[in-house]
Amino acid sequence: MRKSFVCHHRRRRHVCLVFEPLGRSLYDFLKRNDFQGFSLQHVQHFGYQIISAVNFCHSLNLIHTDLKLENVLLVDDSYEKRERHGEVFRVPNNTAVRLIDFGGATYDDHHHARMVNTRQYRAPEVILGLGWSFPSDLWSVGCMLAELYTGELLFGTHEDGEHLALMEWILNINFSTKMTLRAIEKCHDEAKNQSSRRKPRRRGRSSSLPRADRMFSPVSGRLRWPEISSSTESTKHVADSDQLPELIGDTVFTNLLEQLLTLDPSKRITASEALRHPFFKFVRPISHSVGPG
């Protein structure tokens, strides 16, 4: 923030904050590039800065809660055109970026809303209603880095069941029964608390089962997929999705994503640990004037 000032308009007082002028978001750059992903080197530069910003927030006990490519802006969005495999694509002249939009940022010891994050970047613990903290930001970062490289959403979905099924399939790992049974138990407790406070319902109206009860077996704790699929198209969408190693290719990058996209938040890599990952071994902090190099 460069400065602040107060102005009055229509008899109302407004506090105005002044920030540096910035370019378009990484999402908008991808979109103008026909969703062609960035090079691995660009992903390294962008990723290092994004995680550095998240690490700084976490050092202040602050969770961003809405990390996505729309909230990362290029300092300078000028570009040059190059040709690759017979197609023209844009390459940014400067890889310096800024993280924005702290409207939903929450201190870890303050009230937590039950649902946070934009759907496609939402961590599993948030979907399951298990509560969230710093690790939820790192899950979002993993989704962002994969999208930067491929040009497409890692978890392209709008439904909880399909979202969880995509997680298990793309990451090639099942949710632990400890995690899912805890989610079911929490749903039961919430349902009991709500029923004790709620007025009697009219006949003919019944409440739906808690989400975890619908999505997971209360006995085995396994995801009920494809039983809970909303359509054959949804089932096919999950089955046709590429798994992470074949989607990414690079083994070091894949390893970083696997640590960022660990289903259990208690085992997920932290921001400071991610900055020390071999994927960023040769990446240096980037100034305004440094290009892709």
Side-chain angles (χ1 to χ4, degrees):
M1 187 172 71
R2 293 187 170 177
K3 65 177 181 178
S4 64
F5 61 91
V6 175
C7 69
H8 293 82
H9 180 64
R10 293 182 179 178
R11 299 182 180 180
R12 298 188 65 179
R13 180 176 181 270
H14 300 271
V15 177
C16 302
L17 308 179
V18 182
F19 296 91
E20 63 181 320
L22 297 170
R24 69 181 75 251
S25 71
L26 290 180
Y27 172 78
D28 285 334
F29 197 96
L30 273 179
K31 185 177 180 180
R32 286 177 62 90
N33 229 2
D34 295 325
F35 295 102
Q36 298 180 79
F38 290 97
S39 70
L40 199 63
Q41 185 184 29
H42 279 94
V43 176
Q44 288 172 323
H45 284 190
F46 293 143
Y48 188 88
Q49 293 171 91
I50 293 168
I51 297 174
S52 294
V54 172
N55 187 48
F56 176 72
C57 292
H58 291 184
S59 72
L60 301 176
N61 204 37
L62 194 66
I63 308 162
H64 188 282
T65 78
D66 196 21
L67 294 169
K68 54 185 177 181
L69 297 190
E70 289 93 330
N71 286 339
V72 181
L73 304 188
L74 288 157
V75 169
D76 170 16
D77 60 7
S78 64
Y79 60 86
E80 63 179 58
K81 290 185 177 180
R82 296 182 187 175
E83 188 173 327
R84 179 175 58 190
H85 306 306
E87 294 185 10
V88 175
F89 67 102
R90 295 171 171 84
V91 178
N93 292 325
N94 190 326
T95 55
V97 293
R98 295 287 185 268
L99 179 62
I100 66 164
D101 194 357
F102 291 85
T106 304
Y107 286 105
D108 193 40
D109 53 355
H110 286 190
H111 170 74
H112 283 32
R114 189 182 189 281
M115 194 60 62
V116 292
N117 306 117
T118 298
R119 153 64 70 190
Q120 292 79 13
Y121 306 87
R122 187 172 295 155
E125 64 268 24
V126 179
I127 298 174
L128 296 178
L130 293 172
W132 49 269
S133 186
F134 304 109
S136 65
D137 273 351
L138 276 303
W139 176 276
S140 300
V141 169
C143 297
M144 294 165 70
L145 297 188
E147 185 179 353
L148 283 171
Y149 187 60
T150 65
E152 301 289 341
L153 289 166
L154 182 60
F155 303 112
T157 181
H158 296 283
E159 303 173 7
D160 286 336
E162 183 182 84
H163 199 168
L164 296 173
L166 282 170
M167 290 177 183
E168 287 198 338
W169 174 252
I170 292 174
L171 302 175
N172 194 27
I173 187 171
N174 294 326
F175 283 94
S176 69
T177 55
K178 180 181 178 180
M179 189 174 179
T180 57
L181 293 178
R182 184 159 57 90
I184 293 173
E185 182 181 1
K186 188 163 185 176
C187 281
H188 287 163
D189 292 340
E190 289 178 355
K192 289 177 182 177
N193 291 335
Q194 288 176 3
S195 63
S196 65
R197 296 192 300 266
R198 188 184 299 141
K199 294 180 180 180
R201 288 181 174 270
R202 297 178 185 177
R203 291 182 61 183
R205 291 188 178 181
S206 59
S207 60
S208 58
L209 289 171
R211 264 187 320 191
D213 278 355
R214 295 201 309 268
M215 296 187 294
F216 294 94
S217 165
V219 178
S220 65
R222 293 298 183 189
L223 183 66
R224 290 170 162 167
W225 187 265
E227 294 85 354
I228 60 171
S229 174
S230 61
S231 65
T232 55
E233 289 78 11
S234 178
T235 305
K236 188 174 185 299
H237 173 52
V238 173
D240 290 346
S241 297
D242 291 329
Q243 294 187 310
L244 198 62
E246 57 187 333
L247 187 67
I248 301 301
D250 184 85
T251 55
V252 178
F253 186 26
T254 299
N255 179 265
L256 172 63
L257 292 178
E258 287 173 342
Q259 295 188 58
L260 289 167
L261 298 170
T262 299
L263 296 176
D264 186 341
S266 67
K267 299 177 181 178
R268 200 171 298 152
I269 195 172
T270 66
S272 60
E273 290 169 342
L275 290 173
R276 297 193 297 271
H277 190 275
F279 182 66
F280 299 119
K281 184 176 181 180
F282 300 107
V283 177
R284 296 187 303 275
I286 301 171
S287 67
H288 285 264
S289 60
V290 178

